[in-house]
Structure formats: structure tokens, C-alpha cells
Amino acid sequence: MNKKNVLLCSGALALALQAGAVQAGPAPLASAADEPSRLAVGFQTLLELSQALRNWTLPKPRGMVVCADSWSQDLCRVGLGNGDFEDPNDPETLSGWSLKEGRYSPAPYLGSTPTSRVLALQGQGAEAVTGAFLPLGSTISSAPQNTYTVKLRARGSGPLPADVDVALFVGSEASESVRELASVSRTVGWDWENIDFKVDGISSPAPAVLLVGIKRRDNNTPTMLQVDDVRIVRTRLGVTPPAE
């Protein structure tokens, strides 16, 4: 896939979920004890994402049909609208993402490689969260019907490895809560590494929002952590998602 290079930009989430354009400067090294060890998503982030998802027109995810309802499709993709960072309507910002700086790190921003736009996390504690509403009826059954597989690619662009945490959350404005469903931690080097994990069935008050959170754990600031192709694939329970 050919993708054009863009300017780097950063910023925190507004209701429109656009990152402000600022140049990211070097961040000082931080102690591992300076940042929380776990990635957590609060209810306020859920509210902001939910409001923006209602008001913001994001492109449909590419590569697979989007889940239209809770039951009729054996294989589909949950509608994360800008998981590949190629929003044609807003190509220079991270629309669809909530961004948080670390104690010694700027917020994640839109970076680039020769062929791709990517999520760039410069230093320890930088976090990014995106989400999508699930079709009504997806979370009401006590017996799991579907498997949700989180997939993405990550690499450390620099001389040292980088540590990344990825977690899947579910939340609902009706219950005023967000809870973690599953998470994984990986150390990545220069080559792109595929990261995936899954959950079988989700229970939550409707309307439910699935949230994918990404956090950088290490303080190897000479290396940039790059993330691309974030998506959630839904399959019937017992069906193996195809390779992508």
C-alpha cells in the first residue's frame, strides 16, 4: 500500500479528536518507577471518545467488511475508523484517537515512514486510545458468541528495543464504567512485529464501546516506538481469524 509522508504533529484529545500540530523535542530519560506500570483507561476518556464517535465522520476500516450487527456475520471487523492512520479527510492529524503525554514524554503524534503514516510514541508513559461502538445486542448474552481479536504492528525505530503495552477495554455510559478485558506486553526491535491477542465474548450494558489502549513502557528515548494497522477482528466463536 502506497502512503504519503506527512508532518509530525502531536496533541491531546479535543471533542473532535484532532491532535494539535507541535514539533516533538527530545525527552529526558526517566526512571521505570516514574510511570504507572499498567495502562488504564478512565471513564472521562470513554465519554470523550463516545461523543467524538457520534459527531466525527471517520473512514470505514479497510481490508474487511465492517460488523453491521451482532449476529449475521461469521467474520467482520469492528469499526475502528483510523487504525491505519490514513484518514483521507484529515491526513495530518490523529483523528479518532485520545492522546496522553507521559511524565517525561510528549503525547503520541502522527509520524511517518517511507511508505506509511504511523502512531509515534517518543518516550515512556505516552499513551493512545481509540474505540468503536459495538452493534446493539453484541454484549447482552451470558454465553459467548463471538471472539474479538486485537491486531496491530509495532517496531522500535532506533538503536534500542522498545516496550509496548496493548490492552482491550469495554465501557458504557450507561454503567459509567470501563474495565479491562485482556492485555499483552511486547518488546520490539527494528523489524515490524505483529502483535495480537483475543477475548471470547463480551458482557456489558449497551451501548457498549470497545477501546484499544497503547502505552510505551521503556525509557529508551533514542528509539521511537512506531505502531500501525490497529484493528479488531470479530469471528464466530471457534473460527480462526485469517492472516492479514
Side-chain angles (χ1 to χ4, degrees):
M1 180 188 304
N2 291 323
K3 305 178 181 178
K4 65 179 182 179
N5 295 337
V6 297
L7 295 175
L8 299 181
C9 54
S10 65
L13 177 72
L15 290 182
L17 287 180
Q18 297 187 31
V22 298
Q23 289 292 333
L29 291 176
S31 166
D34 287 335
E35 292 291 342
S37 60
R38 291 181 58 82
L39 192 159
V41 173
F43 184 61
Q44 184 61 38
T45 298
L46 170 70
L47 288 178
E48 292 171 344
L49 279 168
S50 297
Q51 182 66 29
L53 289 169
R54 293 187 182 100
N55 297 331
W56 191 254
T57 302
L58 291 171
K60 292 183 178 181
R62 291 178 286 183
M64 187 180 296
V65 64
V66 177
C67 300
D69 54 46
S70 64
W71 55 272
S72 67
Q73 296 156 290
D74 290 335
L75 173 67
C76 58
R77 184 174 289 185
V78 175
L80 298 179
N82 194 23
D84 60 1
F85 314 107
E86 300 293 331
D87 183 355
N89 300 315
D90 198 3
E92 296 188 359
T93 65
L94 282 168
S95 56
W97 288 81
S98 169
L99 309 173
K100 180 181 178 181
E101 64 186 14
R103 185 174 299 180
Y104 299 99
S105 170
Y109 52 87
L110 186 65
S112 64
T113 72
T115 59
S116 176
R117 290 200 292 261
V118 297
L119 175 69
L121 297 94
Q122 184 176 0
Q124 187 183 39
E127 295 182 13
V129 182
T130 188
F133 282 103
L134 287 176
L136 291 178
S138 298
T139 61
I140 61 174
S141 174
S142 59
Q145 302 294 320
N146 296 308
T147 294
Y148 296 84
T149 303
V150 179
K151 297 186 173 188
L152 55 86
R153 299 189 305 139
R155 70 186 287 259
S157 178
L160 300 170
D163 297 332
V164 58
D165 286 352
V166 186
L168 180 66
F169 303 83
V170 65
S172 171
E173 293 173 270
S175 63
E176 298 186 358
S177 64
V178 180
R179 62 185 173 89
E180 181 181 307
L181 298 170
S183 63
V184 68
S185 297
R186 290 284 187 273
T187 298
V188 294
W190 184 259
D191 295 326
W192 285 104
E193 180 176 338
N194 294 317
I195 299 173
D196 63 82
F197 62 96
K198 66 180 182 179
V199 297
D200 292 335
I202 298 173
S203 175
S204 173
V209 182
L210 274 187
L211 303 165
V212 177
I214 299 168
K215 180 176 182 177
R216 181 164 179 177
R217 287 281 300 281
D218 67 278
N219 60 3
N220 295 333
T221 52
T223 292
M224 182 69 69
L225 174 62
Q226 297 177 337
V227 175
D228 203 0
D229 298 327
V230 182
R231 65 259 194 222
I232 304 174
V233 177
R234 193 191 82 187
T235 55
R236 294 281 191 193
L237 193 65
V239 175
T240 300
E244 294 182 86

